[in-house]
């Protein structure tokens, strides 16, 4: 992975943190009826779902600006099985990391 | 308050309030521990220790933090990082509306409550039977998660620095699994289903999740890092605004 430009990283960190806090505060300050429209609520829920699904896809199967299949795909499949079995959050994450680490140690799908 | 024979007792007699505190503590420990993976992933993505801790202390919203680190690590521009983390944090604004009605706080308490408004504190607060238990649930969960999340983020960042190549330990796969685990309850693949809707809305959510993943992968080779994720969000906005139904009636397949 290429080293991050420090200035870019700081701008991104500070600006995104400020925006996330401002969003929380705005929710506390605006009157409830302003967001009482179910379509607004539904759209916000769908945006969260789409972002998370896209992040799963990108983190699992891309690298260096291309689609890439490696140990991460198996690890995420293991995580999905753990989620079906209702494993706690931390267990899901640890199992996924462990699977990828094991496959790479064995030299498979590095 | 009743005339308690033990005025110094830490927990009040109200069983609903005691139950709220118990829930808050277990949620805090589970969520806090997971801060280890955030800290380790952040330094693995190239952030330094202060940057990692600013995200945990100031942004303080797990999904947005992982997204910021993911987009930065993939070489995304600052604008893409801000847009992705900001959009993912948009739900906190909706939580704020719900929570402020429950808390009824003003002034600095409201400013602090806004900072502690996250998935977990909102979930615990809104699940309580009465307003008193809801308030206790919100503050105990918010403060509990904040303290432990930051402590374990720090531990993870120090550990991640010491470990070296994150791929050797599968930390890149852990990030993907973390997003999957955050997505899971929202598309109703776990008990209780999504807080945001039920039935046809869940089906819409599943189709949006699938389409978002396909769009993100298809765009990855042709646009800069960070943009595929934003394109997926745009798709969700279009579906949310244009799809028939208002969230309570029939949605199309």
């Amino acid at each position: 992975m290429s080293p991050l430009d420090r200035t870019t990283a700081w701008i991104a960190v500070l600006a995104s943190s400020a925006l996330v806090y401002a969003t929380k505060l705005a929710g506390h300050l605006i009157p409830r009826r302003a967001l009482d429209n179910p379509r607004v609520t539904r759209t916000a829920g769908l945006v969260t779902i789409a972002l998370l699904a896209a992040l799963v896809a990108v983190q699992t199967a891309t690298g260096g600006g291309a689609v890439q299949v490696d140990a991460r795909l198996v690890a995420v499949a293991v995580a999905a099985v753990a989620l079906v079995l209702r494993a706690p959050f931390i267990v899901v994450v640890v199992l996924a990391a462990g699977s990828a680490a094991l496959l790479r140690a064995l030299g498979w799908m590095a | 308050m009743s005339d308690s024979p033990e005025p110094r007792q830490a927990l009040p007699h109200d069983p609903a309030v005691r139950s709220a505190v118990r829930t808050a503590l277990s949620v805090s420990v589970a969520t806090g521990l997971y801060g280890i993976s955030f800290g380790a992933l952040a330094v693995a993505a190239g952030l330094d220790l202060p940057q990692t801790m600013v995200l945990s202390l100031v942004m303080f919203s797990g999904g947005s933090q992982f997204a910021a680190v993911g987009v930065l690590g993939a070489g995304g521009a600052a604008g893409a990082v801000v847009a992705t983390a900001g959009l993912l944090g948009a739900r906190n604004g909706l939580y704020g509306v719900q929570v402020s009605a429950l808390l009824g706080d003003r002034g600095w308490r409201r400013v602090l409550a806004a900072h502690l408004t996250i998935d977990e504190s909102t979930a615990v607060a809104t699940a309580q039977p009465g307003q008193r238990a809801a308030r206790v649930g919100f503050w105990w969960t918010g403060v509990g998660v904040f303290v432990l999340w930051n402590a374990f983020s720090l531990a993870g960042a120090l550990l991640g620095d010491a470990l070296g190549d994150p791929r050797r330990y599968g930390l890149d796969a852990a990030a993907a699994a973390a997003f999957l685990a955050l997505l899971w309850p929202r598309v109703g693949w776990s008990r209780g289903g999504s807080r945001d809707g039920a039935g046809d809305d869940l089906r819409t959510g599943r189709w949006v999740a699938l389409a978002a993943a396909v769009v993100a992968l298809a765009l990855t080779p042709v646009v800069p890092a960070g943009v595929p994720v934003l394109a997926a969000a745009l798709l969700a906005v279009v579906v949310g605004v244009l799809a028939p139904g208002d969230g309570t009636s029939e949605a199309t397949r």
Side-chain angles (χ1 to χ4, degrees), chain A residues 1-2 4-21 23-33 35 37-63 65-68 70-72 75-77 79-81 83-84 86 89-90 92-94 96-98 100-102 104 110, chain B residues 33-34 44-48 50-51 54-55 58-61 64 67 70 72-73 78 81-82 85-94 96-97 99-101 110-111 113-115 117-118 167-170 172-184 186-187 191 196 201 205 208-209 212-213 216-217 220-221 229 232-233 236-237 239-241 243-246:
Chain A
M1 211 168 284
S2 62
L4 265 185
D5 176 58
R6 265 183 67 82
T7 313
T8 304
W10 268 120
I11 291 171
V13 164
L14 293 175
S16 55
S17 296
L19 179 60
V20 170
Y21 178 70
T23 306
K24 292 175 176 177
L25 190 61
H28 279 257
L29 294 179
I30 57 177
R32 187 172 195 148
R33 63 183 177 280
L35 286 180
N37 183 353
R39 205 168 277 248
V40 171
T41 315
R42 178 179 70 178
T43 303
L46 288 177
V47 167
T48 301
I49 286 171
L51 284 167
L52 291 172
L55 286 162
V56 171
V58 167
Q59 296 278 327
T60 304
T62 70
V67 173
Q68 186 180 308
D70 59 27
R72 290 173 299 172
V76 169
V81 171
L83 284 164
V84 168
R86 293 177 182 176
F89 215 110
I90 189 78
V92 172
V93 173
V94 168
L102 180 66
R104 283 170 182 152
Chain B
L33 273 173
Y34 165 57
L47 275 76
D48 59 25
Q51 288 163 347
V54 166
L55 286 177
V58 183
M59 183 179 280
F60 187 51
S61 186
S64 294
L72 265 176
V81 175
V82 174
L87 278 171
L88 208 41
R91 69 184 188 286
N92 292 328
L94 297 179
V97 177
V99 164
S100 70
R110 187 183 242 183
V111 170
H115 191 51
T117 301
I118 52 170
R167 288 168 39 86
R168 209 176 129 203
Y169 304 93
D172 51 344
F179 284 124
L180 186 67
L182 288 170
L183 173 66
W184 209 260
R186 291 175 188 282
V187 285
R191 81 198 119 115
D196 301 324
D201 272 4
V208 165
L217 289 182
T220 291
V229 174
V237 171
V239 173
V241 171
D246 59 3

Side-chain angles (χ1 to χ4, degrees), chain B residues 14-89:
Chain B
D14 185 346
V17 170
R18 272 210 307 267
S19 155
V21 172
R22 270 200 305 274
T23 307
L25 292 179
S26 56
V27 167
S28 299
V29 171
T31 310
L33 273 173
Y34 165 57
I36 290 188
S37 41
F38 171 73
L41 286 167
V43 295
L47 275 76
D48 59 25
L49 186 68
Q51 288 163 347
T52 302
M53 290 315 295
V54 166
L55 286 177
S56 277
L57 287 163
V58 183
M59 183 179 280
F60 187 51
S61 186
S64 294
Q65 288 179 231
F66 276 103
V69 163
V71 175
L72 265 176
V81 175
V82 174
T84 306
L87 278 171
L88 208 41

